[in-house]
Amino acid sequence: MFTEKGCLRFKVLGTRGSMAVTRKDQQFFGGNTSCYMIQAGEETVFFDAGSGLLNAPVDFPRPPHILLSHLHLDHVLGLGMYSRLSLKDRETLIYVPAGYGKDPARFLSGIFSPPYWPVSLDSYSGTVRILPLTFPLRIGDLLIEGVPGCHPGGNFIFRLSWQDRHIVYASDYEYETASFLRLIKMSDGADLVLLDSQYAASELEQRTGFGHSSPELGLKLMERCEIAHLLLVHHDPQRTDEQLLAWEAEIARKDIHFAREGEEILL
Ligand SMILES: [Zn+2]
Ligand SMILES: [Zn+2]
């Protein structure tokens, strides 16, 4: 076995929203953008490929599967510098939501090609397979389901299940009635739910349509369904460690915290 017997291993590689940051007063929660690694048995799945992907391991028992929730730059930029892609005889599978069109590679090559990037992803020495992301997706004994969220340009909410454990990923999500009902359905019974909390509720009034949420929405979600733990993600690039710690103290619940880059959770 690759992971501890019977354990699903979840790791935060990057949780900053919109833009990577390097300020000293943001190091505790981290500056890399969205990237989360999940390992169960011999399988590895990544949710998004922001700059946090640079801190991911390169060797796995089986080729890793990188699932992109959408193609905003903060969720894909890590691909360009992920060193596994440059290693011969290593295969990496990248999934682009099928809704973008019939040729998923075309959308990534729009970013990773001159003049925006020196080379295309298919010119790296490793084998890079870019596939359409459709649901349900089965990877070994992992099951990934997905439903549309609410975000400019579209986005997907993921639910990963392995044995009797469930993780829901709802980054880059703004409240809207129909999608919130879908989110409740996906989240019910989950061990861990990742929810976009880029803004405070007071800031959201000025940012309607930006595609993000607040910790208050997390509290509403927890009132509507059974969630063992809520992880607040996609921290605003201006948010300081002090502000996030103060928010946590205000929420004051053991079953809710703001994601810290590098933290691991065993389920
Ligand atoms: Zn984002
Ligand atoms: Zn986005």
Side-chain angles (χ1 to χ4, degrees):
M1 286 289 280
F2 181 57
T3 54
E4 294 79 351
K5 195 167 172 15
C7 263
L8 185 149
R9 180 176 171 228
F10 168 86
K11 184 165 187 178
V12 177
L13 295 172
T15 190
R16 190 63 59 170
S18 308
M19 185 73 73
V21 293
T22 57
R23 281 198 343 233
K24 275 187 185 162
D25 60 356
Q26 298 175 315
Q27 296 302 305
F28 182 71
F29 287 90
N32 280 304
T33 64
S34 304
C35 185
Y36 306 88
M37 183 172 73
I38 295 146
Q39 294 180 297
E42 293 192 333
E43 303 292 355
T44 303
V45 169
F46 290 92
F47 287 163
D48 283 326
S51 65
L53 185 62
L54 271 69
N55 295 326
V58 294
D59 284 317
F60 308 99
R62 296 177 56 75
H65 302 254
I66 301 176
L67 276 54
L68 301 175
S69 63
H70 64 310
L71 299 183
H72 285 166
L73 291 177
D74 53 322
H75 297 255
V76 301
L77 265 184
L79 290 169
M81 290 298 287
Y82 181 32
S83 48
R84 179 179 169 91
L85 304 194
S86 301
L87 300 175
K88 265 191 165 183
D89 306 321
R90 305 291 210 292
E91 185 184 32
T92 303
L93 295 89
I94 303 168
Y95 296 76
V96 175
Y100 282 100
K102 281 187 179 162
D103 180 7
R106 187 165 75 86
F107 293 90
L108 285 179
S109 63
I111 303 163
F112 295 104
S113 62
Y116 305 107
W117 193 254
V119 288
S120 63
L121 292 180
D122 59 10
S123 65
Y124 286 59
S125 300
T127 302
V128 180
R129 289 176 58 201
I130 302 175
L131 304 164
L133 176 56
T134 55
F135 305 103
L137 174 67
R138 288 181 192 280
I139 298 168
D141 51 3
L142 287 166
L143 169 69
I144 294 111
E145 297 161 285
V147 294
C150 176
H151 192 62
N155 188 29
F156 277 92
I157 296 167
F158 299 147
R159 177 182 169 105
L160 178 146
S161 301
W162 180 73
Q163 297 182 358
D164 59 349
R165 269 141 278 183
H166 310 281
I167 298 179
V168 173
Y169 179 56
S171 186
D172 296 58
Y173 174 75
E174 181 168 3
Y175 174 80
E176 171 271 328
T177 312
S179 62
F180 193 59
L181 292 174
R182 291 194 289 269
L183 176 59
I184 291 169
K185 203 173 166 193
M186 293 285 267
S187 303
D188 198 22
D191 300 277
L192 184 67
V193 173
L194 282 68
L195 180 69
D196 183 325
S197 298
Q198 180 149 349
Y199 301 131
S202 57
E203 294 168 328
L204 267 178
E205 290 164 21
Q206 304 294 321
R207 293 173 170 86
T208 305
F210 282 32
H212 299 291
S213 295
S214 67
E216 285 76 5
L217 189 71
L219 295 172
K220 280 191 190 131
L221 183 64
M222 290 185 92
E223 280 169 17
R224 298 287 299 273
C225 59
E226 286 292 323
I227 295 172
H229 199 96
L230 183 69
L231 190 65
L232 303 171
V233 301
H234 209 268
H235 314 326
D236 188 87
Q238 299 296 349
R239 200 77 61 205
T240 64
D241 294 333
E242 201 182 336
Q243 287 169 323
L244 289 170
L245 288 168
W247 253 354
E248 269 187 352
E250 213 175 290
I251 296 168
R253 282 179 59 155
K254 280 185 181 159
D255 54 357
I256 302 177
H257 76 278
F258 283 91
R260 285 109 160 108
E261 186 174 317
E263 75 170 302
E264 281 190 29
I265 298 174
L266 293 178
L267 297 170

